[in-house]
Amino acid sequence: MTKQILITGGAGFVGSTLSIGLKLRYPNYRIIALDNLRRRGSELNLSRLREVGVEFVHGDIRNPEDLLEFTHLDYILDASADPSVLSGINSPVMPLINANLGGTVNCLELAQRTGAAFIFLSTSRIYPIRNLEAAAFEELETRFIWNNYQNIRGISSKGVTEDFPLEGSRSFYGTTKLASELLITEYNELKGLKTIINRCGVISGPWQMGKVDQGVLVLWLARHYFKGELAYIGYGGQGKQMRDVLHADDLLNLIDHQIHNLETYNNQTMNVGGGLETSFSLMELTTICEEVTGNKIRIKPILENRAADIRIYVSDCDKLNQINNGAWKPKKDIKALVADTFAWMQANEKNLKNILN
Ligand SMILES: NC(=O)c1ccc[n+]([C@@H]2O[C@H](COP(=O)([O-])OP(=O)(O)OC[C@H]3O[C@@H](n4cnc5c(N)ncnc54)[C@H](O)[C@@H]3O)[C@@H](O)[C@H]2O)c1
């Protein structure tokens, strides 16, 4: 049976991966990518979308008029946002709230009007910074890790679960996402919308236009590739801060499963990430980037921590595994992720040089 799927932010990193991936898997589905092309580099995806038959609509989710043309949709995948954790800290807050919260409400209204189920890409950044920073950790040779002797619920060496306490500050970005989650839950309960909330850790891979405040893995590889400069910021300036990461192709596999098993996931909020098995510290990433590119660059230490930064984040995906009985597991490890991203950089060097460098 055919389906009509609107992907907002469809020319962005995640949005284009989902749009193109779903169209290639299900050629008879109508896939529409809506984007305001605000993110630098998103314009490079337009020809890729066109080539596989994804329809592109130049529109802005902040403007309800831009959404009027849709009358029937089966799914809305909301992948449009300002995804930077630094947004609003040294800049006005309202643009962030309008895009990330006002935009979500407009998409929820659209879902209700068109009969669509709503799949939301939330973030691990909804977990409060102070609580994460208070977690007990150990310092190993190349990375920090959480240990199993925690005084806070919902955290262990395996990562953070959905039970982690939510009181406290989490950045303006994280707050716009948590506020969106709360509203989505109300639309599910009180308006009968089918909804899924994916709390994603770091996502990466080809077509991510990595920059200093968002997309660290691609930024790191690009600076090695184009021989730029980098800094280990904060936590002693050694690069031991650690994250789990998920290849965008693995996220595509999960969203594909969610679309085709809606009742299994309806009204669920779950952590989604690569987990401890697919994690890296900046120091370890440097070694991988040096191996892959053959280049060594200057990485200066900056001792002072950056605002809203965290030492460690790892997603514990036990809840997701229970919901779907283990039907999904990330397949691509960190080396495969870097290799895929490197191949993309080589193939698109001319276009990417100014954007990533
Ligand atoms: N990349 C990650 O590591 C990560 C992690 C957790 C959650 N997320 C979430 O996943 C989603 C996608 O992130 P991404 O990494 O692809 O970011 P991205 O910046 O590459 O893509 C977002 C796209 O949305 C578009 N956009 C922004 N505001 C818009 C608006 N008002 N109307 C229409 N289009 C708009 C941008 O032009 C861009 O193409 C976001 O909601 C983000 O918060 C991303």
Side-chain angles (χ1 to χ4, degrees):
M1 227 175 57
T2 187
K3 291 189 194 301
Q4 305 212 43
I5 304 178
L6 174 68
I7 302 177
T8 66
F13 161 53
V14 170
S16 64
T17 305
L18 298 179
S19 300
I20 293 168
L22 290 171
K23 187 66 188 174
L24 290 175
R25 289 178 187 188
Y26 308 101
N28 65 330
Y29 286 12
R30 182 173 176 219
I31 310 279
I32 308 153
L34 180 138
D35 204 296
N36 67 357
L37 301 180
R38 178 186 164 278
R39 176 82 180 247
R40 194 155 172 244
S42 292
E43 67 284 357
L44 297 182
N45 285 316
L46 296 185
S47 56
R48 298 175 62 230
L49 295 169
R50 201 178 321 115
E51 268 160 34
V52 300
V54 172
E55 295 169 40
F56 176 70
V57 174
H58 188 235
D60 194 311
I61 59 163
R62 290 172 297 184
N63 304 331
E65 318 83 74
D66 288 3
L67 307 174
L68 281 177
E69 69 181 86
F70 306 108
T71 50
H72 168 76
L73 294 167
D74 295 293
Y75 285 91
I76 297 174
L77 313 185
D78 188 359
S80 57
D82 173 347
S84 169
V85 76
L86 295 181
S87 282
I89 298 179
N90 294 313
S91 56
V93 181
M94 273 321 281
L96 182 73
I97 293 178
N98 289 337
N100 289 11
L101 182 57
T104 305
V105 176
N106 289 335
C107 292
L108 285 163
E109 287 289 314
L110 178 67
Q112 208 198 335
R113 182 167 61 74
T114 57
F118 186 81
I119 301 185
F120 186 61
L121 289 167
S122 190
T123 170
S124 56
R125 285 305 200 142
I126 64 100
Y127 296 114
I129 294 168
R130 261 198 212 123
N131 296 350
L132 291 171
E133 291 294 83
F137 68 92
E138 286 166 30
E139 182 172 349
L140 306 184
E141 208 173 308
T142 62
R143 59 165 65 188
F144 299 117
I145 55 162
W146 282 325
N147 65 32
N148 277 326
Y149 310 101
Q150 302 290 343
N151 290 323
I152 315 172
R153 71 171 189 271
I155 185 166
S156 72
S157 61
K158 272 174 57 191
V160 166
T161 70
E162 297 77 1
D163 300 332
F164 195 72
L166 290 181
E167 300 80 29
S169 158
R170 53 183 52 79
S171 75
F172 288 111
Y173 166 65
T175 301
T176 59
K177 289 290 191 172
L178 182 60
S180 294
E181 286 191 7
L182 295 175
L183 280 165
I184 291 165
T185 307
E186 297 309 323
Y187 273 82
N188 185 295
E189 187 71 29
L190 301 176
K191 301 277 191 186
L193 232 67
K194 306 265 186 197
T195 60
I196 301 172
I197 297 172
N198 293 304
R199 277 186 190 156
C200 304
V202 174
I203 310 165
S204 196
W207 300 101
Q208 183 172 42
M209 303 299 163
K211 49 188 182 124
V212 171
D213 57 335
Q214 205 260 340
V216 67
L217 191 144
V218 170
L219 173 84
W220 222 255
L221 183 62
R223 291 289 160 88
H224 279 84
Y225 186 78
F226 294 111
K227 300 193 184 130
E229 284 195 356
L230 285 168
Y232 290 132
I233 304 174
Y235 303 105
Q238 308 170 85
K240 290 192 179 183
Q241 51 268 65
M242 196 259 270
R243 302 283 187 272
D244 70 331
V245 58
L246 185 69
H247 195 303
D249 287 351
D250 280 317
L251 180 66
L252 167 66
N253 291 337
L254 177 66
I255 301 287
D256 186 344
H257 196 257
Q258 292 180 337
I259 287 172
H260 296 99
N261 297 274
L262 181 59
E263 289 309 325
T264 305
Y265 293 94
N266 180 34
N267 205 15
Q268 297 283 1
T269 298
M270 66 226 113
N271 290 344
V272 171
L276 204 49
E277 286 162 38
T278 311
S279 59
F280 66 97
S281 72
L282 291 178
M283 195 195 266
E284 293 161 1
L285 185 59
T286 299
T287 306
I288 299 174
C289 291
E290 286 173 353
E291 276 168 20
V292 170
T293 63
N295 298 334
K296 228 176 160 70
I297 59 164
R298 191 172 112 82
I299 305 182
K300 67 172 179 201
I302 297 178
L303 299 186
E304 200 183 324
N305 287 5
R306 193 166 74 172
D309 206 358
I310 46 179
R311 184 186 296 271
I312 301 170
Y313 187 82
V314 182
S315 320
D316 182 331
C317 299
D318 265 6
K319 180 175 175 188
L320 170 60
N321 291 333
Q322 276 163 25
I323 289 170
N324 66 19
N325 273 323
W328 174 87
K329 261 205 169 320
K331 291 185 181 145
K332 297 214 171 168
D333 64 13
I334 184 89
K335 290 218 163 158
L337 201 163
V338 174
D340 282 1
T341 310
F342 180 64
W344 161 70
M345 257 176 224
Q346 283 183 307
N348 296 276
E349 183 178 325
K350 221 173 90 213
N351 284 335
L352 294 176
K353 193 166 188 158
N354 287 331
I355 296 171
L356 296 182
N357 202 13

